[in-house]
Amino acid sequence: VPKNPKYAGVKSVVDTGASVSKVKMISTREFLKRKDEIFKRIRPSTLAAILDESKEAPESVFDHSGAPKVVVHSQEAQAEYSKPFLLLDLRLEEDYERCHISEALHFPAAKLRADRVPPEVYKFKNRTGTMVIVYDYDEREAIPAATMFTDKGWDNVYMLSGGLRVFGERHPFWIEGDIPEPPVSPSRAGTARSRVSAAPRGLNSTRRGSAESLAGAGAASVSGES
C-alpha cells in the first residue's frame, strides 16, 4: 500500500478509552510540584477517574510479567492488592473504619515516621506504571507524609489535594461509611464569624442604651416629685 508522505509522522493508534496509564500521564503533567513542596499532587476528579476505570476493568489472570497468577484460597490468606495504584489512608484506625475512600488501605502516618513500611506497601516503591496516592482528612498529615515518602526515594507518590474532606463532598459515590462534612470556604467562615461577633456588641449597646434611658427617666421623675 503506497504511503502518503503527508501522514508519515502520524502513528496508527487505537484509542481504547480512558486508562490508568493515561490518567497517570495527565496527572504527572498537570500536577507539578508547588514551590514549597517536593512531592506531586493529584486532583479529586483524577482519583475518581482512576477508581471508575479500575471498577470497570476486569481483573487479569496474568501478572505483570505475563505469567499466570497462582491464586491460593485459604482462610488465613490475605487478599492480593493487584491494582495499578495504591491508595493509602493515613488517619487513625477508628477514623478509617468510620469513613474512607473505596479501595484505600489503612496505613497510619505513624508507621511511616517509624520507618515501618509493610511489604504490601513497599513493593509499590517506584514500580513502573503504578501510583502511590496518600490522603488524610484535610492535608495536615498528608503533606508531611508525602514529603517523607519523597525524601526516602519514592518517586511515584502523589498527595490527594483537599484530602478526604473535599473528595467526599465532590465524589460521595466512592466513600465507604459516613460522608465527611463539606468544606466551608474562608469567606463564608469569615462572614459567619463577623456576624456572631457583631451581634453581641449591638445587643449590648442596645441594652446599655435602654438602661441609660431608663435611668435618665427615673432621675427626671425623682427631680420632678421633689
Side-chain angles (χ1 to χ4, degrees), residues 11 15 17 21 24 45 55 75 77 115-116 124 127 133 138-139 158 164 166-167 187 189 192 196 209 214 219 223:
K11 296 182 179 179
D15 192 343
S21 59
K24 182 177 185 296
S45 58
K55 182 180 179 181
Q75 294 181 352
D115 204 16
R116 293 162 50 201
F124 276 83
R127 188 173 177 178
I133 306 169
D138 55 4
E139 298 189 3
Y158 294 75
L164 176 65
V166 174
F167 185 88
S187 58
V196 172
L214 291 174
S223 60

Side-chain angles (χ1 to χ4, degrees), residues 56-104:
E56 296 174 358
E59 183 178 359
S60 175
V61 296
F62 296 91
D63 61 15
H64 293 283
S65 64
K69 292 190 295 186
V70 177
V71 180
V72 179
H73 296 281
S74 171
Q75 294 181 352
E76 299 180 356
Q78 297 181 350
E80 181 182 357
Y81 199 96
S82 58
K83 302 288 184 182
F85 62 90
L86 180 64
L87 184 59
L88 299 178
D89 190 313
L90 304 172
R91 300 170 301 145
L92 298 176
E93 184 176 3
E94 55 265 30
D95 295 329
Y96 172 83
E97 294 294 338
R98 187 181 302 114
C99 172
H100 62 269
I101 301 175
S102 180
E103 305 288 348

Side-chain angles (χ1 to χ4, degrees), residues 193-205:
R193 285 195 299 268
S194 61
R195 288 178 180 175
V196 172
S197 59
R201 288 198 297 268
L203 183 60
N204 291 337
S205 299

Side-chain angles (χ1 to χ4, degrees), residues 155-176:
D155 299 328
N156 58 336
V157 170
Y158 294 75
M159 191 199 77
L160 177 61
S161 288
L164 176 65
R165 188 179 184 184
V166 174
F167 185 88
E169 193 267 338
R170 297 180 182 177
H171 307 283
F173 175 79
W174 288 109
I175 297 296
E176 296 186 8

